[in-house]
Amino acid sequence: MSGATAATYEWLYREFTYGVDETWLYATFVQGLSPQEALRRIGVAPGPLEDSGFGVAAYAARGGTVLIECGWAGIIYDMAGRLSAGTSAAAVIATVKREDFAYCVDGRLVTTFDLYSYSLREGSDPDRLHAEVENLGLNDGDPLEFPDDPISRALALAERATGVHLSAARYGGPALIGSTDHLEPYR
């Protein structure tokens, strides 16, 4: 596992925080897949976005692909299992209503938890990432205190779990994009 820290992904978290501490971010790290294959697995054809502007951007990253969704449905979060077939995927959702992490391997949900209630984690092996969660400070052990900057920490956990690293330079470069207007619940 890599040594990513919360600072590694603070830039990505800030990119999706709109000046009023309102975050709207869907990110999924997929080990070993190309951007083309990642989009194919979720049923998105590369091409221009439609009028709604809803879509997915697939960034080639060290070790695989990172998907970023523009929209409100969380399609890439919900399809982490499908993306992980034959590999692994870690997904982070951070919106005004929900902040969760999910880790899937070979199509199975290994662990998932709310970023503010790690003790309520679920999955086939909910403790698999426990040492990394502790190391990143996502579980401070005190239910009355929340971790600082849990979104950046969860993004670092996604890198550590999958070995996929997205740099700010790669994010600033070209991405393979495709519309999600044909997928539920957008249609």
Side-chain angles (χ1 to χ4, degrees), residues 12 16 25-30 33-42 44 55-61 64-70 75-77 79-80 82-84 89-92 155 164 166 171 175-178:
L12 185 57
F16 290 88
L25 171 65
Y26 300 98
T28 301
F29 293 56
V30 189
L33 293 189
S34 68
Q36 294 85 353
E37 176 62 13
L39 288 181
R40 187 195 66 73
R41 287 190 182 193
I42 61 171
V44 172
V56 175
Y59 293 89
T65 294
V66 175
L67 300 171
I68 304 289
E69 183 174 341
C70 296
I75 291 168
I76 62 172
Y77 184 88
M79 292 190 180
R82 182 184 296 181
L83 285 162
S84 76
V92 176
L155 292 165
V164 177
L166 179 65
Y171 177 77
L176 192 61
I177 61 167

Side-chain angles (χ1 to χ4, degrees), residues 140-158:
D140 61 14
D142 183 347
L144 299 177
E145 290 191 30
F146 297 121
D148 291 333
D149 199 6
I151 299 164
S152 296
R153 292 171 194 268
L155 292 165
L157 180 61

